[in-house]
Amino acid sequence: MKQSLQTFSQAAASQPAVWIGFACVCAWPWSCTSATLVYTNAGTVGSPVWLGSNLTYLIIGICGIALGLGFRKSAARLPNAAVAAIAGVCYVAASALFVLLSKLPPDYLDPGYATISYIWPAFAGIGQTLLFLEWMKAFGRTGPKKTIAFVVCGSVLGTALIFSLNFIPQTLRELMPAAVGACGALCAFLMAKRSDGDNGEETRSSGIFPEKTRAPWKLLVTAAVAGFSFGTFQSLSFSGSFGTTAWYTFGVVGFLVASVLFALITLGLRMNFNYMIYRISFVIMATGAFLCLFGTEISAWGYGVYCIGYRCLDMLIWCLCAYLIRHRSVSPVWLGGLVIGTLLFGRFFGFEMFTILHPLPASTDVSLLIATVLFLLLLTALSLVSHNNLLEAWGMAKPGEAPGDSEILDSSCDQIGTLYRLSERERDVLRRIAQGKSRADIGVDLVLSEETVKTHIRHIYQKCGIHSRKELDEMVEARVREIKDDRIDLTQQDAAE
């Protein structure tokens, strides 16, 4: 735990632009909400703000998936200055239009302003997508353990920023969305500039990636369900007694609590992705949804509990993507585009459910929405918690755990055995060779004759394409170094499987 905290603090101190910018990107939508809570139009069903909020999710979903599929084999990108500039302009424009629309009366029907309701989500969607993918690249470069530090620090800072908005005048509060968005774009520029100037390490995010890469369908299903549930709760924030200022307050508090819980389960308890996603995050989200079924008096508490689980899941998705990018040599644009696009498409359809059910009596549509969310969360958790996720190389991975030397050595031998299709007995022999044991010692351990051990070693040499124990030792040592440097490439292992 001490070593984890030391790595945590070192990572945060070494790259402040990563987590400060991440805080701004995550806090931007909340800063928009905070700036416009005093205006009736910001929470009226069918208003330009309401329509634009949902269209933003759709645009991010489309842009994310389109970019992901377009750059499946590479991480080609615009120049860093261009990405930051485009995102900054988009954030400022979206912020200004959002605040302007929120100030209008709910029954204001001027065609010009109706057009703007479709323009501002385009700016917001493009800006968010560009920076989401930039952070996906950054987290992929640093790996899952450092990503834990970045997302926790970013979440705490983002929550503090949102809280601070309650203590400034309304005039300044309306300027904060543009300022937060511009700060996020600036951090993206500084972050990318640092990666461009780092010639000491070759990163996968700048190269050509394997053509045959399996999409992590379980992760995509998980993201879609989580996005649907969050979109549903956001739609409820527009509904009469359920959509109250208390919901906003409890949601922000939930995000802060989630940061502490996330650090505990990753660094303290060192749980794997299966347990953290399906037995903690999804269960907390379902508990919050269940509490909301008891009526408006307790709904704000339920929403706060839900936000704890959702924010934990959101941070886990960033860490999981960092793990897959780092360990499986996939394009961060491809993976990030698919995951972000799927998550935001889920939000869009969750938000749309309220549009479909809104004509029903208030108690009916709210109950149906919450019950649907609760059912989907529990069904997904029960269906996908299986340890079979190990076959996708992430279910049993522990992002907050640094393996010991013996575990790394065993993992290296297992990977070599899978890659070269060694038999179980040949793998047993390989592990003992890697431990430096002689043929006689290996025979004693495995209850085999020395001649049989010699035959197994010869078969290992043949399958691995080597001719001596020295070459075998060098192969194992190279694999150990890759794991210690967090640079292992499992693409060939997938092909072997």
Side-chain angles (χ1 to χ4, degrees), residues 112 151 232 246:
V151 297
T232 301

Side-chain angles (χ1 to χ4, degrees), residues 25-43:
V25 173
C26 293
W28 181 77
W30 291 81
S31 68
C32 292
T33 302
S34 176
T36 58
L37 276 175
V38 297
Y39 301 116
T40 304
N41 196 31

Side-chain angles (χ1 to χ4, degrees), residues 278-324:
Y278 302 113
R279 295 191 178 180
I280 293 184
S281 298
F282 266 67
V283 171
I284 294 175
M285 291 162 66
T287 301
F290 179 72
L291 291 175
C292 288
L293 287 173
F294 288 94
T296 57
E297 293 78 8
I298 200 172
S299 66
W301 287 93
Y303 181 63
V305 172
Y306 170 86
C307 283
I308 294 174
Y310 179 79
R311 186 55 180 168
C312 277
L313 177 66
D314 185 63
M315 291 187 283
L316 281 168
I317 287 177
W318 286 102
C319 288
L320 179 50
C321 287
Y323 175 86
L324 294 175

Side-chain angles (χ1 to χ4, degrees), residues 395-416:
M396 301 301 290
K398 301 177 181 180
E401 182 175 87
D405 290 340
S406 61
E407 184 179 349
I408 290 175
L409 186 63
D410 287 343
S411 179
S412 300
C413 294
D414 288 339
Q415 291 168 15
I416 291 172

Side-chain angles (χ1 to χ4, degrees), residues 41-109:
N41 196 31
T44 303
V45 176
S47 69
V49 174
W50 185 88
L51 292 171
S53 297
N54 200 22
L55 282 176
T56 301
Y57 301 147
L58 179 61
I59 291 169
I60 297 176
I62 293 173
C63 290
I65 292 179
L67 287 172
L69 295 177
F71 295 117
R72 176 167 184 166
K73 300 179 186 178
S74 71
R77 63 185 181 188
L78 293 171
N80 299 324
V83 172
I86 293 172
V89 170
C90 287
Y91 272 124
V92 173
S95 301
L97 293 175
F98 182 87
V99 173
L100 175 64
L101 291 170
S102 298
K103 293 181 177 181
L104 297 176
D107 57 351
Y108 197 88
L109 300 177

Side-chain angles (χ1 to χ4, degrees), residues 182-428:
C183 181
L186 175 61
C187 288
F189 173 76
L190 297 175
M191 179 178 67
K193 186 177 180 181
R194 172 190 171 100
S195 68
D196 287 345
D198 184 10
N199 296 321
E201 179 182 357
E202 180 183 357
T203 63
R204 286 184 173 88
S205 59
S206 60
I208 303 298
F209 297 88
E211 182 175 354
K212 294 183 179 180
T213 308
R214 296 179 303 177
W217 68 269
K218 289 186 178 180
L219 173 57
L220 298 182
V221 172
T222 300
V225 173
F228 179 88
S229 68
F230 191 67
T232 301
F233 272 100
Q234 284 196 309
S235 70
L236 290 176
S237 66
F238 289 93
S239 63
S241 57
F242 262 69
T244 63
T245 304
W247 267 48
Y248 171 82
T249 303
F250 277 74
V252 175
V253 173
F255 275 31
L256 178 61
V257 174
S259 302
V260 178
L261 177 62
F262 180 74
L264 174 63
I265 62 178
T266 53
L267 299 177
L269 301 179
R270 292 183 176 178
M271 293 183 176
N272 60 54
F273 282 116
N274 262 329
Y275 277 80
M276 289 188 291
I277 292 175
Y278 302 113
R279 295 191 178 180
I280 293 184
S281 298
F282 266 67
V283 171
I284 294 175
M285 291 162 66
T287 301
F290 179 72
L291 291 175
C292 288
L293 287 173
F294 288 94
T296 57
E297 293 78 8
I298 200 172
S299 66
W301 287 93
Y303 181 63
V305 172
Y306 170 86
C307 283
I308 294 174
Y310 179 79
R311 186 55 180 168
C312 277
L313 177 66
D314 185 63
M315 291 187 283
L316 281 168
I317 287 177
W318 286 102
C319 288
L320 179 50
C321 287
Y323 175 86
L324 294 175
I325 293 167
R326 187 80 169 184
H327 287 270
R328 299 183 69 83
S329 298
V330 297
S331 166
V333 179
W334 173 74
L335 180 65
L338 288 183
V339 174
I340 292 170
T342 303
L343 179 69
L344 272 298
F345 264 128
R347 284 196 193 182
F348 171 77
F349 289 114
F351 208 99
E352 279 297 304
M353 285 295 293
F354 181 77
T355 306
I356 296 172
L357 296 177
H358 185 60
L360 298 177
S363 60
T364 303
D365 61 7
V366 168
S367 299
L368 281 173
L369 284 172
I370 296 177
T372 301
V373 168
L374 181 59
F375 173 77
L376 284 177
L377 290 173
L378 293 177
L379 179 64
T380 304
L382 291 173
S383 301
L384 300 184
V385 73
S386 169
H387 290 185
N388 289 336
N389 287 354
L390 180 61
L391 297 177
E392 295 193 346
W394 63 266
M396 301 301 290
K398 301 177 181 180
E401 182 175 87
D405 290 340
S406 61
E407 184 179 349
I408 290 175
L409 186 63
D410 287 343
S411 179
S412 300
C413 294
D414 288 339
Q415 291 168 15
I416 291 172
T418 300
L419 181 60
Y420 294 102
R421 299 181 182 277
L422 303 183
S423 67
E424 287 300 322
R425 182 59 75 186
E426 289 166 352
R427 295 186 188 205
D428 292 337

